[in-house]
Amino acid sequence: MNKTHHQIIIEWIDIAASVDISVYFTNYKSNGSDSKKLRVEDSMDSPPSRVIHIRKLPNEVSETEVIALGLPFGKVTNILMLKGKNQAFLELGTEEAAVTMVNYYTAVTPQVRNVPVFIQYSNHKELKTDSALNQRAQAVLQAVSAVQEGGSPSSAAGESVLTPAPSPVLRIIIDNMFYPVTLDVLQQIFSKFGTVMKIITFTKNNQFQALLQFSDPVNAQQAKLSLDGQNIYNSCCTLRIDFSKLVNLNVKYNNDKSRDYTRPELPAGDGQPPVDPSVAATLSKDSTSLLGTPSGMVTSYSSGGGFPSSLGAISPLSAAAAAAAAAGRVALSGHSGPGGVLLVSNLNEEMVTPQSLFTLFGVYGDVQRVKILYNKKDSALIQMSDGNQAQLAMSHLNGQKMYGKIIRVTLSKHQTVQLPREGLDDQGLTKDFTSSPLHRFKKPGSKNFQNIFPPSATLHLSNIPENVTEEDLRLLFSNSGGTVKAFKFFQDRKMALLQMSTVEEAIQALIDLHNYDMGRGHRLRVSFSKSTI
């Protein structure tokens, strides 16, 4: 059998897990030949070491979940599980990676299966395990490392072998979907396992589902093994993955609902594309029973590649973060606390208002309060409805240009934005939007959750009155100070795509014209689009 068709079945190693594990650490003060038995460090003052001691793990925790705690920070080179003591030791490739990991988890409590765990440096500089007795952990580490490096686990004597995957097409069901999972998020997550050729997303039985086709069944097998049961976001958006009975997807449109990455010339279509009849016929037959159960694996890290010293209880929601999570086979985490406050700086103080910030940041969450700083009017505090939305807004708006200036968006140490004392005139710099009717995400399951995209030159317009023409809309958006490059009505003419010449112009137009009164009770709704015209 071809080597690429060999896979490690992590579950198989449970059979070998009954053997006792003996382990020795080389003490960092020794010459390398002396060793001593494992002991549990209770001191928080241990010097930095690339060996991390993890305590208070939940019962039945898996090696994959423990490895996932370290993967966002660098290569994991060894692991020792002490399940009877609910402890583990994790060795990272460099001491720098271990320091980053400990520093980060000092600010953000690490969780496994939604249970807080305790992390500290080990008193030892190196983790040495008897690989013959530590088979389970080593096999899992080998499997994760192989996928992380883009290869496939090699087969060896005694390893279980999977039969070839039945299909290169995966059927994906998203359970507990409280936050948006777009086609692009799926593509970035699953492309870490191989070339994603096609994706079709749809809703069936009130569940968001997708069919995703890899170029090779082995890649589909790896993705299913690593991602089935994982949460994309903290405690929600759980992936349930099974093989589809389809072996090839027929995609007719390239848009926000379906994509054929091998045929970029396909049209965007009008409105939501229909699923090809041959696909639809198979959907009703495709199995929905999954082999795995959610693992609840959770770990935390920044979407920007760095690890801020104080993240509070914030969860990254950007597609980039989701992709990074997939690379480590981990879920995005943190807790959506009562409020996430952002600090926005380098604003154009001559132009910016609380309303303009409410409108722009409201694309990514429900803005509760805005405060432009009295003594530093190029900076503002923005309170989102929760930490997840704050992280989402930060990931999409940091570095964008607003009123001619590149704005900087970071997480604030403040938990809330304070309103001015009663009777105090703050010149309109602070505004409470808690009861605003313009919040986009108040309704659970709203379609707005499915249409969150980074700022782009193309805007999606909706709630357009019947009597409004293309020329009317072109003129309206030109008056916002930009140039309309292209325009396209959807078939029902209630929605349209409008392309400005730059992203900055589109941002300006959205600020000026979202909720614009078009007459007869119609308020224009404007959002960013991933489509092009």
Side-chain angles (χ1 to χ4, degrees), residues 433-444:
F433 294 97
T434 305
S435 58
S436 171
L438 300 182
H439 288 156
R440 297 177 186 243
F441 308 104
K442 282 193 295 188
K443 293 181 181 179

Side-chain angles (χ1 to χ4, degrees), residues 9 55 58 96 201 248 275 292 342 350 372 379 393 428 472 496 510 525:
I9 305 178
R55 295 189 289 161
E96 180 183 12
T201 63
N248 187 46
V275 176
L342 297 169
E350 301 296 325
I372 296 174
S379 299
D472 292 332
L510 183 143
R525 297 187 64 81

Side-chain angles (χ1 to χ4, degrees), residues 327-403:
R329 257 60 56 209
V330 297
L332 303 179
S333 79
H335 307 282
S336 54
V341 178
L342 297 169
L343 173 63
V344 187
S345 56
N346 201 41
L347 293 163
N348 184 331
E349 58 185 272
E350 301 296 325
M351 301 286 292
V352 72
T353 64
Q355 184 66 44
S356 63
L357 291 170
F358 167 79
T359 303
L360 178 58
F361 281 75
V363 173
Y364 302 104
D366 292 336
V367 176
Q368 304 300 302
R369 294 175 180 176
V370 177
K371 181 185 186 72
I372 296 174
L373 303 186
Y374 186 82
N375 294 320
K376 194 174 181 1
K377 292 186 174 64
D378 68 345
S379 299
L381 293 172
I382 301 177
Q383 181 179 334
M384 309 298 287
S385 64
D386 64 43
N388 290 317
Q389 292 182 0
Q391 184 77 30
L392 183 63
M394 181 179 73
S395 66
H396 284 312
L397 293 177
N398 181 43
Q400 296 291 344
K401 194 176 270 191
M402 178 184 182
Y403 295 129

